[in-house]
Structures are given as structure tokens and as C-alpha cells.
Amino acid sequence: MGKNKKQRNQHQNQRNRKDASYYLEDNEQQSYPLTQPPNLSDQEQDSDDNNEDQNPSTDNNNISNNNDDDGTHLPSKFSLYQQSVQSPKGDISYLQKFFLTYVGGRAPLHLQEDFCGTALLSTEWLRSDSRRTSIGLDLDVEALDYCMENNVNKIGADISSRIFLYHGNVLQPQEAKLVKSNLQNIMHNATLEENENGSEPVTNYEALPSRDIVCAFNYSCCCLHTRHELVSYFKNALQALSKKGGIFVMDLYGGTSSECELRMQRKFPNFTYTWEQAGFDIVQRKTRISLHYTLHKHQNKKLRHAFSYSWRLWSLPEIKDCLEEAGFRSVHFWIRQMPDSENIKSIQGFGDGKDIKYEEVTSFQQQDSWNAYIVGVS
Ligand SMILES: C[S@@+](CC[C@H](N)C(=O)[O-])C[C@H]1O[C@@H](n2cnc3c(N)ncnc32)[C@H](O)[C@@H]1O
């Protein structure tokens, strides 16, 4: 189900998570955003639903270390997530563009990825410049371990010595702990920064060099449910940024289709990815998002609720108010319309709007589906 070269080139101009060149090159698979409905014909939808009762289903299990009945290795849920949801190259090119637009005067070198999960973006960030460093912070130690073993391990010691992963809460980053792994020695030898004595390498979160960019992607700020938490988090992000100037970048989705039940699927060569949005509570503005996978090469075994998130769907002006309250100097919205969720169910390809880029806006009329980058300038 890979795309031809022309389609790939066209696609590279699209929204970040639909710009799946990273995986297209490696695996000939397509990627799309967590909340952007994939294309699936009605026939495909039906056939998968028909299989629902006939195939074994695993609920919210990490199957990363499990074998199938025939002894073959089942893929990790994190591997499935990275292939189906993420495309870090697109995010990185927008991060660079935003930094040059709102700060400028120097190249952005130090990135912090909050809510990093498997920190694929942080790993990718290091590739293009040997001076770059990255810090990832997440509550899920299993995801961080996966990153160490599968992403960091594969990029070579010279690059992996420039990434620092922390296990902790974005609301209390100073209490976060450096992730232990078999790469710990390399990490401790990192020359990211030395302490006051000039001898021991710094692994304390607070002592790390200030960041040029802090980011929170795949709608992670929706994991924070109260205004107080959101403002506290934004203050922590601001605190981490360089006094020479820096940016905080997060993403958000919305539109009429984001406030109702929705279930979409997309087929990859080896698996089908299902994105499910439960009903939307208009009083609390909360929904539950679940990601399910069906493994084609394993008798269509299902991994249901591989990931499940309780999200408060913040509005753009709420985010702006909270960023300003936290102390950001200015806030900018970059929005693009996404393909209509009804059309996308019944067409092949990427449909309407495939060449639309993000544009900076101060006003934007409601659509079926849109995606936004929000940039806070320190
Ligand atoms: C939607 S996932 C996004 C992962 C990744 N940023 C991406 O782009 O795919 C949200 C992540 O936030 C983490 N998370 C949720 N609440 C958190 C908190 N208070 N502090 C740190 N991490 C948190 C979860 O463990 C999960 O890995």
C-alpha cells in the first residue's frame, strides 16, 4: 500500500503527520495524525468489522515481548504507534521555521520534547547537526525504555550521547529522573554540560542547558484537564527556555467532527490502525480517544485500546489566554483545514486539501476538521 514517488513528493508539503516521508522511505507505509481520520473504503470498514468477533482480541496489553501462538514475534504497540501516528520530520521543519520567524539570530540547537512518549521527534532532532541536543520528558517509563532500546540505540553513540530522557510529570519537571538503561554510561559521559566543578556531567533536569524550543505534540496538552494545570505547565515550559529567546510549540485539533463519536481506520501493509473518539461531553469538553491495531500477519489478532487518552479539548483562545498568563510575550496560531471527515471515509488517496500548508491566521472560520500549531514566544 505504498505510494509512488510522485505521490510522496506531493505529500511532503502536507501537514506534518501526514508527511510520512520518514516512514515511507523506510517501510513504504503511510502515516497520519492521531486525530486525523484515515481513508478507508466502506468495504474495508465492513470487512474489518466482520472480523471483530472471529479474531482474538487483546485489551490494552503491551504485547511488545509476546510471541504469537506459532512462536513468531508480535510487534510492540510502540512500534505500531510510531509507524501509524508519527512523522517527526514535518514537525521539525515547522519548529525551525517558527524559531527563525519569531526569534532568529541563531540556529535552534536545544530541544525539549514534553509528553515525549517514545521520543521519536527528539531522536530525529539530533540527526542534522552535531551540536544539537534533546531532552524528552514523559510519565510513561515503558515508552521511554522503548525509545532507549529501539530509537536511541539505533542512531549511534555519537548521536545518542546528546539525548536525555526523563521520567516524570511535566507539572513537576524538577523531580523527573533520568531514565536508566544500558546506555546510561554513554549518557553520563555526555558533554552536554558540566557542573560547577567542571568534572561531573550534568544529568539533573534543572541543570541542563536552557532550551531554544520546547514542544508538546500530538495534542498532549489535552491530557491536562484544568486551567490551573495548563498555566502551571506553560510556566514550566517558559522557565526551561533560553533567556536569549525561545519558543514553545504545541498542536491542537478541532472542528465540528471533533465534538462527536467517530471511528476511523486505515490499512497498512502489516496492520490496520483504528482511531476511535468516544462521545464528546460538552459540559467538561472531554472525550476519550482509543487507538486499536489489527495485525494482519498474525491471524488478524487485535490489540484493542493499545493507547487510550482522556482529553479535554481546549479551545484556541483558552490556550492563548493561558500562555499569556504564564508569561509568554506573544502567541501565534498556524492553522490548516483537514479533509472533511465524511468524505475521507469514502475516497481513496488523501483527498481534498492535500496541498494545503499551515498558514498564520488571526481569524479562521469553523470547519469540519482543522489542525493548529500554537506558538508561544518567550
Ligand atoms: C498523545 S501521547 C503523545 C506522545 C508523543 N508526544 C507523540 O507526539 O506522539 C501523550 C503522552 O503524554 C504522556 N503524559 C500524559 N500526561 C503527562 C504528564 N502530566 N507528564 C508527562 N507526560 C505525560 C503520556 O504518557 C503519553 O506518552
Side-chain angles (χ1 to χ4, degrees), residues 255-290:
T256 49
S257 66
S258 68
E259 302 189 6
C260 56
E261 276 182 33
L262 212 51
R263 185 173 184 271
M264 302 285 173
Q265 293 182 313
R266 182 168 201 131
K267 277 196 174 170
F268 288 79
N270 296 334
F271 62 89
T272 297
Y273 163 69
T274 302
W275 178 83
E276 188 176 18
Q277 178 175 282
F280 186 80
D281 177 344
I282 60 162
V283 175
Q284 301 189 67
R285 289 196 60 80
K286 280 191 193 160
T287 186
R288 177 158 287 280
I289 304 294
S290 296

mmCIF file of all heavy atoms in Angstrom, residues 255-290:
data_model
loop_
_atom_site.group_PDB
_atom_site.id
_atom_site.type_symbol
_atom_site.label_atom_id
_atom_site.label_comp_id
_atom_site.label_asym_id
_atom_site.label_seq_id
_atom_site.Cartn_x
_atom_site.Cartn_y
_atom_site.Cartn_z
ATOM 1 N N GLY A 255 -12.807 21.355 15.174
ATOM 2 C CA GLY A 255 -13.764 21.297 14.078
ATOM 3 C C GLY A 255 -15.018 20.587 14.554
ATOM 4 O O GLY A 255 -15.018 19.949 15.619
ATOM 5 N N THR A 256 -16.062 20.679 13.732
ATOM 6 C CA THR A 256 -17.338 20.089 14.158
ATOM 7 C C THR A 256 -17.213 18.571 14.357
ATOM 8 O O THR A 256 -17.843 17.999 15.229
ATOM 9 C CB THR A 256 -18.443 20.399 13.131
ATOM 10 O OG1 THR A 256 -17.943 20.067 11.830
ATOM 11 C CG2 THR A 256 -18.812 21.874 13.148
ATOM 12 N N SER A 257 -16.356 17.921 13.549
ATOM 13 C CA SER A 257 -16.230 16.455 13.664
ATOM 14 C C SER A 257 -15.499 16.032 14.936
ATOM 15 O O SER A 257 -15.510 14.857 15.293
ATOM 16 C CB SER A 257 -15.488 15.887 12.457
ATOM 17 O OG SER A 257 -14.152 16.352 12.456
ATOM 18 N N SER A 258 -14.865 16.978 15.600
ATOM 19 C CA SER A 258 -14.113 16.610 16.802
ATOM 20 C C SER A 258 -15.004 16.570 18.034
ATOM 21 O O SER A 258 -14.542 16.208 19.111
ATOM 22 C CB SER A 258 -12.968 17.602 17.029
ATOM 23 O OG SER A 258 -13.497 18.865 17.370
ATOM 24 N N GLU A 259 -16.271 16.950 17.863
ATOM 25 C CA GLU A 259 -17.147 17.001 19.036
ATOM 26 C C GLU A 259 -18.284 15.994 18.910
ATOM 27 O O GLU A 259 -19.436 16.276 19.242
ATOM 28 C CB GLU A 259 -17.664 18.426 19.235
ATOM 29 C CG GLU A 259 -16.517 19.416 19.411
ATOM 30 C CD GLU A 259 -16.956 20.808 19.818
ATOM 31 O OE1 GLU A 259 -18.148 21.003 20.087
ATOM 32 O OE2 GLU A 259 -16.087 21.692 19.860
ATOM 33 N N CYS A 260 -17.959 14.820 18.396
ATOM 34 C CA CYS A 260 -18.966 13.756 18.286
ATOM 35 C C CYS A 260 -18.239 12.407 18.262
ATOM 36 O O CYS A 260 -17.014 12.358 18.230
ATOM 37 C CB CYS A 260 -19.790 13.929 17.017
ATOM 38 S SG CYS A 260 -18.791 13.977 15.531
ATOM 39 N N GLU A 261 -19.032 11.313 18.298
ATOM 40 C CA GLU A 261 -18.412 9.993 18.185
ATOM 41 C C GLU A 261 -17.839 9.824 16.792
ATOM 42 O O GLU A 261 -18.444 10.249 15.812
ATOM 43 C CB GLU A 261 -19.457 8.905 18.418
ATOM 44 C CG GLU A 261 -19.681 8.594 19.867
ATOM 45 C CD GLU A 261 -20.691 7.481 20.054
ATOM 46 O OE1 GLU A 261 -20.743 6.571 19.191
ATOM 47 O OE2 GLU A 261 -21.428 7.523 21.038
ATOM 48 N N LEU A 262 -16.695 9.184 16.705
ATOM 49 C CA LEU A 262 -16.057 8.994 15.409
ATOM 50 C C LEU A 262 -15.166 7.756 15.482
ATOM 51 O O LEU A 262 -14.479 7.537 16.489
ATOM 52 C CB LEU A 262 -15.192 10.223 15.104
ATOM 53 C CG LEU A 262 -14.995 10.693 13.685
ATOM 54 C CD1 LEU A 262 -16.315 10.847 12.949
ATOM 55 C CD2 LEU A 262 -14.244 12.014 13.681
ATOM 56 N N ARG A 263 -15.220 6.943 14.416
ATOM 57 C CA ARG A 263 -14.365 5.753 14.377
ATOM 58 C C ARG A 263 -13.817 5.625 12.966
ATOM 59 O O ARG A 263 -14.576 5.560 12.013
ATOM 60 C CB ARG A 263 -15.172 4.508 14.736
ATOM 61 C CG ARG A 263 -14.360 3.225 14.837
ATOM 62 C CD ARG A 263 -15.237 2.102 15.372
ATOM 63 N NE ARG A 263 -14.478 0.902 15.569
ATOM 64 C CZ ARG A 263 -14.285 -0.035 14.645
ATOM 65 N NH1 ARG A 263 -14.810 0.116 13.456
ATOM 66 N NH2 ARG A 263 -13.573 -1.102 14.916
ATOM 67 N N MET A 264 -12.519 5.668 12.829
ATOM 68 C CA MET A 264 -11.893 5.639 11.511
ATOM 69 C C MET A 264 -10.783 4.606 11.500
ATOM 70 O O MET A 264 -10.156 4.350 12.521
ATOM 71 C CB MET A 264 -11.266 7.003 11.207
ATOM 72 C CG MET A 264 -12.224 8.152 11.244
ATOM 73 S SD MET A 264 -13.255 8.165 9.787
ATOM 74 C CE MET A 264 -14.384 9.467 10.237
ATOM 75 N N GLN A 265 -10.539 4.095 10.305
ATOM 76 C CA GLN A 265 -9.482 3.096 10.190
ATOM 77 C C GLN A 265 -8.605 3.387 8.987
ATOM 78 O O GLN A 265 -9.032 4.032 8.038
ATOM 79 C CB GLN A 265 -10.079 1.704 9.993
ATOM 80 C CG GLN A 265 -10.837 1.206 11.197
ATOM 81 C CD GLN A 265 -11.350 -0.188 10.971
ATOM 82 O OE1 GLN A 265 -11.919 -0.476 9.916
ATOM 83 N NE2 GLN A 265 -11.153 -1.048 11.934
ATOM 84 N N ARG A 266 -7.407 2.858 9.034
ATOM 85 C CA ARG A 266 -6.560 2.895 7.846
ATOM 86 C C ARG A 266 -5.742 1.615 7.794
ATOM 87 O O ARG A 266 -5.223 1.163 8.819
ATOM 88 C CB ARG A 266 -5.620 4.075 7.890
ATOM 89 C CG ARG A 266 -4.784 4.134 6.643
ATOM 90 C CD ARG A 266 -4.039 5.433 6.508
ATOM 91 N NE ARG A 266 -3.692 5.608 5.120
ATOM 92 C CZ ARG A 266 -3.901 6.688 4.427
ATOM 93 N NH1 ARG A 266 -4.465 7.710 4.976
ATOM 94 N NH2 ARG A 266 -3.535 6.758 3.168
ATOM 95 N N LYS A 267 -5.645 1.104 6.573
ATOM 96 C CA LYS A 267 -4.886 -0.133 6.404
ATOM 97 C C LYS A 267 -3.436 0.158 6.063
ATOM 98 O O LYS A 267 -3.155 0.944 5.161
ATOM 99 C CB LYS A 267 -5.511 -1.001 5.318
ATOM 100 C CG LYS A 267 -6.655 -1.828 5.860
ATOM 101 C CD LYS A 267 -7.031 -2.948 4.928
ATOM 102 C CE LYS A 267 -8.079 -3.833 5.602
ATOM 103 N NZ LYS A 267 -8.658 -4.802 4.687
ATOM 104 N N PHE A 268 -2.537 -0.497 6.758
ATOM 105 C CA PHE A 268 -1.116 -0.505 6.446
ATOM 106 C C PHE A 268 -0.785 -1.917 5.946
ATOM 107 O O PHE A 268 -1.589 -2.834 6.132
ATOM 108 C CB PHE A 268 -0.300 -0.181 7.705
ATOM 109 C CG PHE A 268 -0.408 1.265 8.122
ATOM 110 C CD1 PHE A 268 -1.528 1.722 8.805
ATOM 111 C CD2 PHE A 268 0.607 2.158 7.834
ATOM 112 C CE1 PHE A 268 -1.630 3.052 9.171
ATOM 113 C CE2 PHE A 268 0.500 3.483 8.198
ATOM 114 C CZ PHE A 268 -0.614 3.940 8.857
ATOM 115 N N PRO A 269 0.378 -2.098 5.355
ATOM 116 C CA PRO A 269 0.677 -3.434 4.825
ATOM 117 C C PRO A 269 0.557 -4.547 5.877
ATOM 118 O O PRO A 269 0.047 -5.611 5.587
ATOM 119 C CB PRO A 269 2.124 -3.303 4.335
ATOM 120 C CG PRO A 269 2.269 -1.863 4.008
ATOM 121 C CD PRO A 269 1.417 -1.112 4.998
ATOM 122 N N ASN A 270 1.002 -4.261 7.085
ATOM 123 C CA ASN A 270 1.025 -5.332 8.088
ATOM 124 C C ASN A 270 -0.036 -5.210 9.170
ATOM 125 O O ASN A 270 -0.168 -6.102 10.006
ATOM 126 C CB ASN A 270 2.399 -5.381 8.771
ATOM 127 C CG ASN A 270 3.482 -5.752 7.788
ATOM 128 O OD1 ASN A 270 3.212 -6.414 6.787
ATOM 129 N ND2 ASN A 270 4.693 -5.313 8.054
ATOM 130 N N PHE A 271 -0.721 -4.092 9.199
ATOM 131 C CA PHE A 271 -1.718 -3.912 10.264
ATOM 132 C C PHE A 271 -2.752 -2.875 9.866
ATOM 133 O O PHE A 271 -2.546 -2.094 8.935
ATOM 134 C CB PHE A 271 -1.046 -3.510 11.587
ATOM 135 C CG PHE A 271 -0.316 -2.196 11.540
ATOM 136 C CD1 PHE A 271 -0.982 -1.004 11.835
ATOM 137 C CD2 PHE A 271 1.028 -2.126 11.204
ATOM 138 C CE1 PHE A 271 -0.321 0.218 11.790
ATOM 139 C CE2 PHE A 271 1.703 -0.912 11.156
ATOM 140 C CZ PHE A 271 1.022 0.261 11.456
ATOM 141 N N THR A 272 -3.865 -2.902 10.568
ATOM 142 C CA THR A 272 -4.872 -1.847 10.417
ATOM 143 C C THR A 272 -4.909 -1.052 11.711
ATOM 144 O O THR A 272 -4.886 -1.621 12.806
ATOM 145 C CB THR A 272 -6.271 -2.447 10.149
ATOM 146 O OG1 THR A 272 -6.230 -3.148 8.906
ATOM 147 C CG2 THR A 272 -7.330 -1.360 10.061
ATOM 148 N N TYR A 273 -4.951 0.239 11.543
ATOM 149 C CA TYR A 273 -4.974 1.159 12.679
ATOM 150 C C TYR A 273 -6.390 1.726 12.803
ATOM 151 O O TYR A 273 -6.976 2.155 11.815
ATOM 152 C CB TYR A 273 -3.961 2.260 12.388
ATOM 153 C CG TYR A 273 -4.042 3.531 13.193
ATOM 154 C CD1 TYR A 273 -3.725 3.571 14.540
ATOM 155 C CD2 TYR A 273 -4.386 4.735 12.569
ATOM 156 C CE1 TYR A 273 -3.760 4.764 15.240
ATOM 157 C CE2 TYR A 273 -4.417 5.929 13.266
ATOM 158 C CZ TYR A 273 -4.103 5.931 14.614
ATOM 159 O OH TYR A 273 -4.134 7.106 15.297
ATOM 160 N N THR A 274 -6.943 1.674 13.990
ATOM 161 C CA THR A 274 -8.272 2.246 14.215
ATOM 162 C C THR A 274 -8.170 3.367 15.232
ATOM 163 O O THR A 274 -7.579 3.187 16.304
ATOM 164 C CB THR A 274 -9.254 1.186 14.759
ATOM 165 O OG1 THR A 274 -9.313 0.108 13.836
ATOM 166 C CG2 THR A 274 -10.643 1.770 14.945
ATOM 167 N N TRP A 275 -8.713 4.494 14.854
ATOM 168 C CA TRP A 275 -8.762 5.640 15.750
ATOM 169 C C TRP A 275 -10.211 5.833 16.168
ATOM 170 O O TRP A 275 -11.098 5.925 15.331
ATOM 171 C CB TRP A 275 -8.243 6.872 15.026
ATOM 172 C CG TRP A 275 -8.313 8.099 15.851
ATOM 173 C CD1 TRP A 275 -7.413 8.519 16.776
ATOM 174 C CD2 TRP A 275 -9.368 9.067 15.828
ATOM 175 N NE1 TRP A 275 -7.839 9.687 17.328
ATOM 176 C CE2 TRP A 275 -9.025 10.047 16.775
ATOM 177 C CE3 TRP A 275 -10.548 9.191 15.110
ATOM 178 C CZ2 TRP A 275 -9.837 11.144 17.023
ATOM 179 C CZ3 TRP A 275 -11.357 10.279 15.357
ATOM 180 C CH2 TRP A 275 -10.990 11.240 16.305
ATOM 181 N N GLU A 276 -10.459 5.827 17.472
ATOM 182 C CA GLU A 276 -11.826 5.883 17.965
ATOM 183 C C GLU A 276 -11.994 7.040 18.943
ATOM 184 O O GLU A 276 -11.243 7.161 19.911
ATOM 185 C CB GLU A 276 -12.163 4.558 18.669
ATOM 186 C CG GLU A 276 -13.611 4.442 19.055
ATOM 187 C CD GLU A 276 -13.927 3.084 19.668
ATOM 188 O OE1 GLU A 276 -12.990 2.382 20.108
ATOM 189 O OE2 GLU A 276 -15.107 2.745 19.722
ATOM 190 N N GLN A 277 -12.948 7.883 18.626
ATOM 191 C CA GLN A 277 -13.263 9.003 19.518
ATOM 192 C C GLN A 277 -14.615 8.706 20.157
ATOM 193 O O GLN A 277 -15.619 8.569 19.458
ATOM 194 C CB GLN A 277 -13.339 10.273 18.669
ATOM 195 C CG GLN A 277 -13.712 11.528 19.420
ATOM 196 C CD GLN A 277 -13.634 12.727 18.474
ATOM 197 O OE1 GLN A 277 -12.563 13.231 18.180
ATOM 198 N NE2 GLN A 277 -14.758 13.166 17.964
ATOM 199 N N ALA A 278 -14.611 8.578 21.476
ATOM 200 C CA ALA A 278 -15.873 8.303 22.168
ATOM 201 C C ALA A 278 -16.722 9.574 22.145
ATOM 202 O O ALA A 278 -16.295 10.604 21.642
ATOM 203 C CB ALA A 278 -15.581 7.867 23.593
ATOM 204 N N GLY A 279 -17.909 9.505 22.677
ATOM 205 C CA GLY A 279 -18.779 10.679 22.702
ATOM 206 C C GLY A 279 -18.094 11.880 23.343
ATOM 207 O O GLY A 279 -17.126 11.736 24.083
ATOM 208 N N PHE A 280 -18.591 13.053 23.019
ATOM 209 C CA PHE A 280 -17.959 14.288 23.485
ATOM 210 C C PHE A 280 -18.852 14.957 24.530
ATOM 211 O O PHE A 280 -20.016 15.264 24.266
ATOM 212 C CB PHE A 280 -17.744 15.218 22.271
ATOM 213 C CG PHE A 280 -16.989 16.450 22.606
ATOM 214 C CD1 PHE A 280 -15.609 16.429 22.722
ATOM 215 C CD2 PHE A 280 -17.649 17.661 22.796
ATOM 216 C CE1 PHE A 280 -14.894 17.581 23.019
ATOM 217 C CE2 PHE A 280 -16.947 18.812 23.096
ATOM 218 C CZ PHE A 280 -15.570 18.775 23.213
ATOM 219 N N ASP A 281 -18.311 15.149 25.729
ATOM 220 C CA ASP A 281 -19.049 15.778 26.829
ATOM 221 C C ASP A 281 -18.914 17.302 26.694
ATOM 222 O O ASP A 281 -17.829 17.852 26.903
ATOM 223 C CB ASP A 281 -18.443 15.281 28.151
ATOM 224 C CG ASP A 281 -19.089 15.932 29.371
ATOM 225 O OD1 ASP A 281 -19.770 16.964 29.219
ATOM 226 O OD2 ASP A 281 -18.887 15.407 30.474
ATOM 227 N N ILE A 282 -20.011 17.970 26.344
ATOM 228 C CA ILE A 282 -19.910 19.414 26.095
ATOM 229 C C ILE A 282 -19.808 20.230 27.380
ATOM 230 O O ILE A 282 -19.445 21.403 27.353
ATOM 231 C CB ILE A 282 -21.099 19.947 25.244
ATOM 232 C CG1 ILE A 282 -22.432 19.684 25.954
ATOM 233 C CG2 ILE A 282 -21.079 19.369 23.855
ATOM 234 C CD1 ILE A 282 -23.561 20.540 25.420
ATOM 235 N N VAL A 283 -20.136 19.631 28.515
ATOM 236 C CA VAL A 283 -20.016 20.363 29.776
ATOM 237 C C VAL A 283 -18.545 20.429 30.198
ATOM 238 O O VAL A 283 -18.020 21.489 30.540
ATOM 239 C CB VAL A 283 -20.874 19.702 30.878
ATOM 240 C CG1 VAL A 283 -20.655 20.405 32.220
ATOM 241 C CG2 VAL A 283 -22.343 19.738 30.488
ATOM 242 N N GLN A 284 -17.873 19.284 30.131
ATOM 243 C CA GLN A 284 -16.456 19.266 30.523
ATOM 244 C C GLN A 284 -15.510 19.411 29.324
ATOM 245 O O GLN A 284 -14.305 19.490 29.500
ATOM 246 C CB GLN A 284 -16.142 17.944 31.227
ATOM 247 C CG GLN A 284 -16.981 17.715 32.468
ATOM 248 C CD GLN A 284 -16.482 16.511 33.229
ATOM 249 O OE1 GLN A 284 -15.380 16.529 33.778
ATOM 250 N NE2 GLN A 284 -17.272 15.453 33.251
ATOM 251 N N ARG A 285 -16.074 19.382 28.132
ATOM 252 C CA ARG A 285 -15.302 19.358 26.880
ATOM 253 C C ARG A 285 -14.276 18.216 26.886
ATOM 254 O O ARG A 285 -13.118 18.380 26.505
ATOM 255 C CB ARG A 285 -14.625 20.712 26.610
ATOM 256 C CG ARG A 285 -15.620 21.799 26.219
ATOM 257 C CD ARG A 285 -14.948 22.999 25.577
ATOM 258 N NE ARG A 285 -14.219 22.687 24.373
ATOM 259 C CZ ARG A 285 -14.787 22.523 23.170
ATOM 260 N NH1 ARG A 285 -16.098 22.623 23.019
ATOM 261 N NH2 ARG A 285 -14.030 22.253 22.124
ATOM 262 N N LYS A 286 -14.746 17.056 27.315
ATOM 263 C CA LYS A 286 -13.838 15.911 27.389
ATOM 264 C C LYS A 286 -14.287 14.790 26.471
ATOM 265 O O LYS A 286 -15.480 14.583 26.236
ATOM 266 C CB LYS A 286 -13.787 15.376 28.819
ATOM 267 C CG LYS A 286 -12.885 16.192 29.723
ATOM 268 C CD LYS A 286 -12.669 15.466 31.016
ATOM 269 C CE LYS A 286 -12.041 16.363 32.057
ATOM 270 N NZ LYS A 286 -12.250 15.872 33.399
ATOM 271 N N THR A 287 -13.293 14.049 25.973
ATOM 272 C CA THR A 287 -13.553 12.858 25.176
ATOM 273 C C THR A 287 -12.508 11.809 25.526
ATOM 274 O O THR A 287 -11.521 12.110 26.201
ATOM 275 C CB THR A 287 -13.509 13.175 23.655
ATOM 276 O OG1 THR A 287 -13.913 12.019 22.924
ATOM 277 C CG2 THR A 287 -12.132 13.599 23.199
ATOM 278 N N ARG A 288 -12.773 10.577 25.098
ATOM 279 C CA ARG A 288 -11.768 9.517 25.278
ATOM 280 C C ARG A 288 -11.347 9.028 23.900
ATOM 281 O O ARG A 288 -12.176 8.672 23.078
ATOM 282 C CB ARG A 288 -12.331 8.357 26.106
ATOM 283 C CG ARG A 288 -11.346 7.208 26.250
ATOM 284 C CD ARG A 288 -11.644 6.321 27.439
ATOM 285 N NE ARG A 288 -11.311 6.959 28.713
ATOM 286 C CZ ARG A 288 -10.089 7.033 29.223
ATOM 287 N NH1 ARG A 288 -9.070 6.487 28.589
ATOM 288 N NH2 ARG A 288 -9.875 7.627 30.373
ATOM 289 N N ILE A 289 -10.055 9.067 23.667
ATOM 290 C CA ILE A 289 -9.506 8.608 22.389
ATOM 291 C C ILE A 289 -8.840 7.255 22.615
ATOM 292 O O ILE A 289 -8.035 7.098 23.541
ATOM 293 C CB ILE A 289 -8.439 9.605 21.868
ATOM 294 C CG1 ILE A 289 -9.005 11.017 21.733
ATOM 295 C CG2 ILE A 289 -7.840 9.108 20.558
ATOM 296 C CD1 ILE A 289 -10.079 11.189 20.699
ATOM 297 N N SER A 290 -9.170 6.285 21.776
ATOM 298 C CA SER A 290 -8.533 4.966 21.868
ATOM 299 C C SER A 290 -7.929 4.596 20.526
ATOM 300 O O SER A 290 -8.522 4.851 19.478
ATOM 301 C CB SER A 290 -9.559 3.898 22.257
ATOM 302 O OG SER A 290 -10.053 4.169 23.540
#
